[in-house]
């Protein structure tokens, strides 16, 4: 029940609830991965059941696909959809220009493909995700397993000439084994602390042999919906240059998310 949620979870809930209103019947919608995106999927499932909303969802991970089917959303692949009206996803960090770090959930490759195949990308986040400069959250880089230690060495060498504060890289683990993405790849997390030039870093990282994609989303996000623990929601549109505020009321009996 929302009345039992922490302030951070309430903030995620109201952002997701507000963003779910952007979806209209007949749309093809990219569905993100992560804790905030899971709230969104639940909210959309509620609209499917209670309002008769009919749309096709393109999930960015197997776990999002499972949740979407569970709540009654029609799931299709990106190849079937070909192009999307909208993608709604979370972010690990976003700055004032709506540049993002994503990939904390390990789905950055599918997330970036889906987001860039959309007319619009909307990010949903709690206020703590906003930063002045990207980089405090470790930057994920997806690499193929073959020769990953060589890719890691090349990444660390490349960071020497970049405008960053730290150069430590670590292999993401799942228990005692390497974390495996949906595409069967590894993730190296770059602990850079601060990224002075995200655009340059994104370009350099993707030139390194073995690197599949990085978690910097530059010039991809169109709007961010920011939730607060008291129910306030702020929506920023980078293209229109507008900022709006409203409020989402909590329903104490709402148990949409009690099993998340």
């Amino acid at each position: 029940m929302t009345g039992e949620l922490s302030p951070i979870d309430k903030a995620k809930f109201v952002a997701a609830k507000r963003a779910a209103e952007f979806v209209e019947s007949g749309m093809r919608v990219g569905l993100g991965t992560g804790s905030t995106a899971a709230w969104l999927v639940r909210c959309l499932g509620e609209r499917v059941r209670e309002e008769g909303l009919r749309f096709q969802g393109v999930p960015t991970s197997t776990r999002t696909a499972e949740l979407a089917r569970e709540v009654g959303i029609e799931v299709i692949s990106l190849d079937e959809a070909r192009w999307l009206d909208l993608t709604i996803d979370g972010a690990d960090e976003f700055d004032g220009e709506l540049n993002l770090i994503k990939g904390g959930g390990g789905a950055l490759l599918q997330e970036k493909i889906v987001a860039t195949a959309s007319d619009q990308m909307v990010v949903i986040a709690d206020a703590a995700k906003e930063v002045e400069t990207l980089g405090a959250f470790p930057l994920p880089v997806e690499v193929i397993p073959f020769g990953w230690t060589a890719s890691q060495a090349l990444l660390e060498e490349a960071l020497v000439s970049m405008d960053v504060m730290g150069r430590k890289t670590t292999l993401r683990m799942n228990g005692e084994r390497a974390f495996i993405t949906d595409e069967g790849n590894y993730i190296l997390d770059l602990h850079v602390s601060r990224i002075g030039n995200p655009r340059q870093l994104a370009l350099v990282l993707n030139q390194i042999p073995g690197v599949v994609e990085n978690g910097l989303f530059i010039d991809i996000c169109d709007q961010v919906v920011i939730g607060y623990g008291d129910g306030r929601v702020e929506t920023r549109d980078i293209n229109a240059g507008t900022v709006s505020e409203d409020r989402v009321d909590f329903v104490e009996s709402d148990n949409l998310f009690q099993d998340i």
Side-chain angles (χ1 to χ4, degrees):
M1 291 168 35
T2 55
E4 300 170 350
L5 297 176
S6 69
I8 289 293
D9 283 336
K10 286 180 180 179
K12 293 178 179 181
F13 167 69
V14 296
K17 190 81 168 178
R18 176 67 184 87
E21 298 172 5
F22 296 169
V23 178
E24 301 175 1
S25 283
M27 279 188 168
R28 291 162 296 181
V29 181
L31 304 174
T33 296
S35 60
T36 311
W39 301 93
L40 169 78
V41 173
R42 291 280 182 174
C43 288
L44 288 172
E46 182 183 41
R47 290 194 61 199
V48 167
R49 293 189 303 274
E50 298 187 1
E51 302 174 22
L53 177 69
R54 292 292 178 265
F55 72 98
Q56 294 175 314
V58 175
T60 55
S61 67
T62 53
R63 58 187 180 277
T64 295
E66 290 169 358
L67 179 59
R69 292 188 180 98
E70 177 186 318
V71 300
I73 295 172
E74 180 186 355
V75 171
I76 63 172
S77 70
L78 182 58
D79 290 330
E80 291 173 305
R82 299 181 65 85
W83 195 260
L84 305 178
D85 299 288
L86 173 68
T87 286
I88 307 176
D89 203 348
D92 299 302
E93 285 185 348
F94 68 92
D95 65 14
E97 297 179 352
L98 303 195
N99 294 317
L100 320 170
I101 286 182
K102 288 181 53 55
L108 65 103
L109 178 57
Q110 288 191 22
E111 288 174 336
K112 188 173 282 190
I113 293 171
V114 168
T116 54
S118 305
D119 287 337
Q120 280 204 19
M121 182 195 187
V122 174
V123 160
I124 48 177
D126 60 90
K129 299 296 193 301
E130 182 172 12
V131 296
E132 184 174 340
T133 305
L134 297 177
F137 190 91
L139 173 62
V141 177
E142 187 160 339
V143 299
I144 66 170
F146 176 81
W148 72 267
T149 56
S151 298
Q152 182 180 33
L154 290 169
L155 282 168
E156 292 175 347
E157 182 180 341
L159 290 176
V160 172
S161 60
M162 295 291 101
D163 185 6
V164 297
M165 288 184 64
R167 299 181 181 90
K168 179 183 178 183
T169 66
T170 57
L171 177 67
R172 186 176 299 185
M173 303 298 290
N174 182 14
E176 297 183 355
R177 298 185 177 184
F179 175 88
I180 305 295
T181 70
D182 279 356
E183 287 73 36
N185 297 320
Y186 292 169
I187 288 182
L188 293 170
D189 288 310
L190 278 53
H191 304 268
V192 294
S193 299
R194 184 188 66 84
I195 301 172
N197 191 332
R199 189 183 310 277
Q200 179 190 43
L201 181 59
L203 291 172
V204 168
L205 293 177
N206 280 9
Q207 298 303 311
I208 295 173
V211 169
V212 180
E213 189 53 84
N214 69 82
L216 284 166
F217 283 51
I218 311 298
D219 298 333
I220 296 175
C221 178
D222 298 287
Q223 294 185 64
V224 61
V225 179
I226 307 166
Y228 295 85
D230 61 1
R232 287 181 298 123
V233 178
E234 179 182 322
T235 302
R236 301 180 194 170
D237 188 318
I238 193 71
N239 300 313
T242 58
V243 179
S244 62
E245 275 199 22
D246 56 12
R247 182 175 293 274
V248 173
D249 293 328
F250 297 120
V251 180
E252 294 297 326
S253 61
D254 192 341
N255 62 358
L256 281 175
F257 313 112
Q258 64 182 1
D259 57 346
I260 289 183

